[in-house]
Amino acid sequence: SWMEGRSTPMIFSACVREWNNVTFSDIISTVEFNHTGELLATGDKGGRVVIFQREPESKNELFSQGEYNVYSTFQSHEPEFDYLKSLEIEEKINKIRWLPQQNAAHFLLSTNDKTIKLWKVSERDKRPEGYNLKDEEGRIKDLSTVTSLQVPVLKPMDLMVEVSPRRLFANAHTYHVNSISVNSDYQTYMSADDLRINLWHLDITDRSFNIVDIKPVNMEDLTEVITAAEFHPHHCNLFVYSSSKGTLRLCDMREAALCDKHSKLFEEPEDPSSRSFFSEIISSVSDVKFSHSGRYLLTRDYLTAKVWDLNMESKPLETYQVHDYLRSKLCSLYENDCIFDKFECAWNGSDSVIMTGAYNNFFRMFDRNTKRDVTLEASRESSKPRAVLKPRRVCAAGGKRRKDDISVDSLDFTKKILHTAWHPTENIIAIAATNNLYIFQDKLNSEMH
């Protein structure tokens, strides 16, 4: 089993992105593999998108599984100003979603708080030469000097990666966009903000259809907001969205044009004995992900990760404690605003293991079959290539402490793993730790179960 013993078969592959002088704009805000796992995109608070490409496997190196190197970098969004509302619009990339590859080019959607853009990423390794009406520098020739016609030819050139904007989807969201999700029909996608979800066609930029609207007539009656939304991986009519009240709503677009009335409501009854001032804050769902099979939902709230069966609405199928030792620290976490951090979660390719982040640059993995779990650390101190990650253990306040255990009081809450991604088929994971991107891979076992 992959969790037996004091070490795991997750071996450090590459710390592929580091900045020595950290600025606010360098902080990574989203991480996403494409559908094959050959490309990995990150977005940051400076509006930049960096794409990494997996190198071909080397037969000479025993441990080489193809490392990820920078493929292309481009500025996706710029800071803007809404003059009507006197509001600054940050350039920060909130989400990136890849479209399935249809031809030699790759396409991805990126969004900031207001505007979604479709980008085309393509390669060029040939250039045309021998034009009749242009010279080598592209200037138009004097027609009187053209005495014969020649057929232009394509000549080899150094590989060039070109990134070009293809569509701009704007002016559809009053509130901040928190999610985008591409539909399984590959023609439409949805974007969600705090109170509304819109459905777009990838070829139509001047209009979208509002499919969910939870804005009350009187904003004083507002009790919850939308926190995340995602399409079903196989059924193009189904989607789910989560709320700040800890609920999940599964909607079917075949039932009505406006899906304000959900098909299913997933909600865990609250234990009255454990209710406190922080109950509603920590129950807010920060991320929701369909399993690859489409049968399950994975959600993350502040202290737990939960797996829901689409056929059982009354309670989660599985609940995993991510950092229950923080329950006694909620007051101080509220005062320093950490209690509002939004952690993401991820499935492995076979839906048997889930992953999510924590504080102190720790991230957690839970094996659904064996019920084993492990805490690992993404840090520059342990970033020697090929180093095996050692499991870490946090000792609760007043608990019995063993060697190498870390006390809750010594955790660094400024170091947090909010954004993670798992390769769609292999045991390769990407972890964003502030301004560094870490990639870990399982060298000893091709399956994590």
Side-chain angles (χ1 to χ4, degrees), residues 88-131:
E88 286 187 30
I89 302 171
E90 287 185 347
E91 64 271 37
K92 174 193 159 199
I93 307 297
N94 291 341
K95 283 288 184 288
I96 291 172
R97 290 291 180 265
W98 292 91
L99 274 63
Q101 191 174 4
Q102 307 286 348
N103 50 40
H106 298 273
F107 290 86
L108 64 84
L109 290 165
S110 64
T111 184
N112 65 351
D113 286 340
K114 300 289 183 183
T115 306
I116 304 151
K117 296 182 181 181
L118 176 66
W119 297 90
K120 179 183 179 182
V121 184
S122 56
E123 293 182 353
R124 190 149 61 97
D125 59 359
K126 293 182 175 65
R127 68 170 182 270
E129 285 186 5
Y131 286 110

Side-chain angles (χ1 to χ4, degrees), residues 202-249:
L202 284 162
D203 291 330
I204 301 171
T205 60
D206 59 353
R207 65 185 180 275
S208 62
F209 294 99
N210 180 229
I211 53 176
V212 172
D213 188 347
I214 65 168
K215 183 183 178 184
V217 177
N218 184 356
M219 284 297 279
E220 290 181 3
D221 298 331
L222 183 68
T223 59
E224 64 180 334
V225 295
I226 298 167
T227 56
E230 188 173 66
F231 269 119
H232 191 282
H234 310 303
H235 301 300
C236 61
N237 53 290
L238 295 177
F239 68 93
V240 68
Y241 69 92
S242 58
S243 87
S244 57
K245 276 193 167 180
T247 60
L248 303 172
R249 290 178 174 86

Side-chain angles (χ1 to χ4, degrees), residues 233-234 289-296 307 318 320 346-354 366-369 424 447 449:
H234 310 303
K289 295 276 172 64
F290 273 103
S291 62
H292 295 84
S293 67
R295 171 69 185 270
Y296 304 104
V307 175
E318 302 152 18
Y320 300 97
W347 296 89
N348 74 334
S350 61
D351 299 333
S352 61
V353 182
I354 63 175
F366 302 91
D367 190 311
R368 298 180 59 213
N369 297 327
E447 291 294 327
H449 57 269

Side-chain angles (χ1 to χ4, degrees), residues 311-361:
N311 298 328
M312 186 171 74
E313 302 161 63
S314 58
K315 62 180 181 179
L317 191 66
E318 302 152 18
T319 300
Y320 300 97
Q321 299 296 333
V322 178
H323 40 207
D324 199 50
Y325 46 78
L326 295 181
R327 204 172 285 276
S328 61
K329 299 278 184 185
L330 293 178
C331 190
S332 58
L333 291 166
Y334 177 77
E335 289 173 357
N336 63 17
D337 282 348
C338 283
I339 202 169
F340 301 106
D341 286 334
K342 300 185 188 312
F343 293 94
E344 295 175 6
C345 50
W347 296 89
N348 74 334
S350 61
D351 299 333
S352 61
V353 182
I354 63 175
M355 171 178 64
T356 190
Y359 292 107
N360 211 67
N361 276 1

Side-chain angles (χ1 to χ4, degrees), residues 16-17 19 32 38-44 47-55 68-76 96 98 106 108 119-124 159-165 437:
V16 291
R17 186 182 183 193
W19 304 89
E32 185 78 6
E38 293 304 301
L39 297 177
L40 171 65
T42 67
D44 64 25
R48 293 181 297 265
V49 171
V50 180
I51 302 174
F52 299 90
Q53 183 183 46
R54 192 178 184 188
E55 296 299 317
Y68 286 81
N69 292 317
V70 175
Y71 180 62
S72 180
T73 303
F74 63 96
Q75 189 72 31
S76 172
I96 291 172
W98 292 91
H106 298 273
L108 64 84
W119 297 90
K120 179 183 179 182
V121 184
S122 56
E123 293 182 353
R124 190 149 61 97
L159 181 68
M160 180 186 296
V161 180
E162 296 180 320
V163 181
S164 55
L437 178 70

Side-chain angles (χ1 to χ4, degrees), residues 384-403:
K384 295 175 183 176
R386 318 301 173 202
V388 178
L389 288 181
K390 292 181 180 178
R392 308 303 300 266
R393 185 174 177 271
V394 179
C395 177
K400 200 171 183 180
R401 193 169 171 184
R402 295 186 297 196
K403 187 186 176 185

Side-chain angles (χ1 to χ4, degrees), residues 348-415:
N348 74 334
S350 61
D351 299 333
S352 61
V353 182
I354 63 175
M355 171 178 64
T356 190
Y359 292 107
N360 211 67
N361 276 1
F362 290 167
F363 59 97
R364 303 268 282 138
M365 288 182 169
F366 302 91
D367 190 311
R368 298 180 59 213
N369 297 327
T370 65
K371 303 304 178 187
R372 294 171 183 258
D373 64 90
V374 68
T375 301
L376 300 171
E377 182 181 8
S379 67
R380 298 175 80 169
E381 289 73 24
S382 61
S383 63
K384 295 175 183 176
R386 318 301 173 202
V388 178
L389 288 181
K390 292 181 180 178
R392 308 303 300 266
R393 185 174 177 271
V394 179
C395 177
K400 200 171 183 180
R401 193 169 171 184
R402 295 186 297 196
K403 187 186 176 185
D404 296 330
D405 280 2
I406 296 157
S407 166
V408 175
D409 297 321
S410 61
L411 292 176
D412 188 344
F413 291 103
T414 63
K415 295 179 178 178

Side-chain angles (χ1 to χ4, degrees), residues 12-26:
F12 183 80
S13 169
C15 183
V16 291
R17 186 182 183 193
E18 287 189 341
W19 304 89
N20 293 325
N21 300 316
V22 183
T23 64
F24 178 78
S25 63
D26 295 329

